[in-house]
């Protein structure tokens, strides 16, 4: 799994702590402090914030005490809200819920949009059923629609719901539509990094109050790693996955880390004190 980038960590920080009225906007000085805690220097924070501003994901805003800061744009909030349904999804989808198909046609004069479409559908978790025909579990429809509309790609795409009727068994077809070995490796990499973190917290004496800075320092990288994984893994029904699929365990580990550390780290984000 890719190393954490300053830009990704900033988005993760806003997703975890920057959407409730009491936590947004975040002052620039606070962004620098919070990212420094997870190893990002001030110049990298400032340049990443500038790029996120240019992309329309962050907008300038004053904090309650008048300090210069940034808040999420409406598009960024929609992006994070859609992401929540993946990051915290439970239970896994059922096969009878069916599939969403994306079929697109882009004029040759706009072939750059064809590349953008393929790239975006791949990042949404779609597999390739045939040239120009992309497939994903039906539960990804809403996010797909929001994403294509936000990127002004909707005019080139038709979306359908349906079921797979053959000719190969669906389990066999799924193995062609997605690189499941690559997805499994991502889950195993997440487990290699985060199971020791979870174990270290579980082994602490019962009743020991968590240190907010330490909880935040462990939670933010775990969330940053995890939130990218559900986009590589579309969340296929269990009966279509290989035996001993590691996705269930990695989801369990993230869920336990989230329950233990997210709220425990919030005081450090809100007050800057431990």
């Amino acid at each position: 799994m890719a190393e954490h980038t300053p830009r990704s960590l900033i988005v993760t920080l806003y997703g975890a702590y920057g959407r409730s009225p009491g936590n947004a906007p975040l002052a620039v000085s606070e962004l620098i402090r919070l990212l420094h805690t997870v190893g990002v220097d001030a110049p990298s924070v400032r340049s990443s914030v500038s790029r996120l501003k240019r992309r329309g994901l962050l907008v300038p805003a004053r904090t309650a005490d008048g300090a210069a800061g940034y808040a999420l744009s409406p598009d960024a909030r929609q992006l994070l809200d859609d992401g929540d349904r993946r990051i915290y999804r439970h239970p896994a989808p059922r096969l009878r819920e069916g599939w969403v198909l994306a079929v697109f046609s882009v004029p040759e004069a706009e072939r750059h949009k064809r590349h953008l479409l393929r790239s975006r559908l791949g990042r949404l978790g779609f597999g390739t059923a045939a040239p120009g025909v992309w497939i994903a579990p039906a539960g990804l429809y809403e996010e797909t629609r929001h994403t294509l509309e936000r990127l002004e790609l909707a005019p080139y795409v038709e979306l359908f719901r349906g079921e797979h009727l053959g000719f190969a068994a669906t389990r066999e077809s799924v193995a062609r539509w997605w690189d499941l070995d690559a997805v499994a490796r991502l889950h195993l990499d997440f487990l290699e990094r985060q199971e020791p973190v979870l174990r270290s917290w579980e082994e602490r004496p019962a009743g020991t109050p968590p240190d907010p800075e330490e909880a935040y320092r462990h939670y933010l990288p775990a969330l940053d790693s995890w939130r990218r994984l559900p986009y590589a893994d579309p969340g296929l029904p269990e009966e279509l996955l290989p035996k001993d699929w590691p996705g269930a365990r990695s989801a369990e580990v993230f869920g336990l880390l989230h329950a233990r550390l997210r709220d425990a780290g919030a005081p450090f984000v809100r007050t800057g004190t431990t």
Side-chain angles (χ1 to χ4, degrees), residues 110-137:
E110 299 179 276
R111 58 182 177 274
H112 65 285
K113 292 186 178 180
R114 188 182 306 136
H115 172 74
L116 178 59
L117 251 172
R118 289 171 177 156
S119 173
R120 185 58 57 165
L121 288 172
R123 288 172 60 184
L124 284 166
F126 277 71
T128 308
V133 181
W134 294 66
I135 187 167

Side-chain angles (χ1 to χ4, degrees), residues 6 73 89 97 143 148 161 165 169-170 199-200 233-234 243:
S73 69
R89 65 186 174 203
E97 294 171 9
E143 182 180 3
L148 296 178
R161 286 187 188 271
L165 299 176
T170 303
R199 194 178 308 117
S200 73
D233 181 344
K243 185 180 179 181

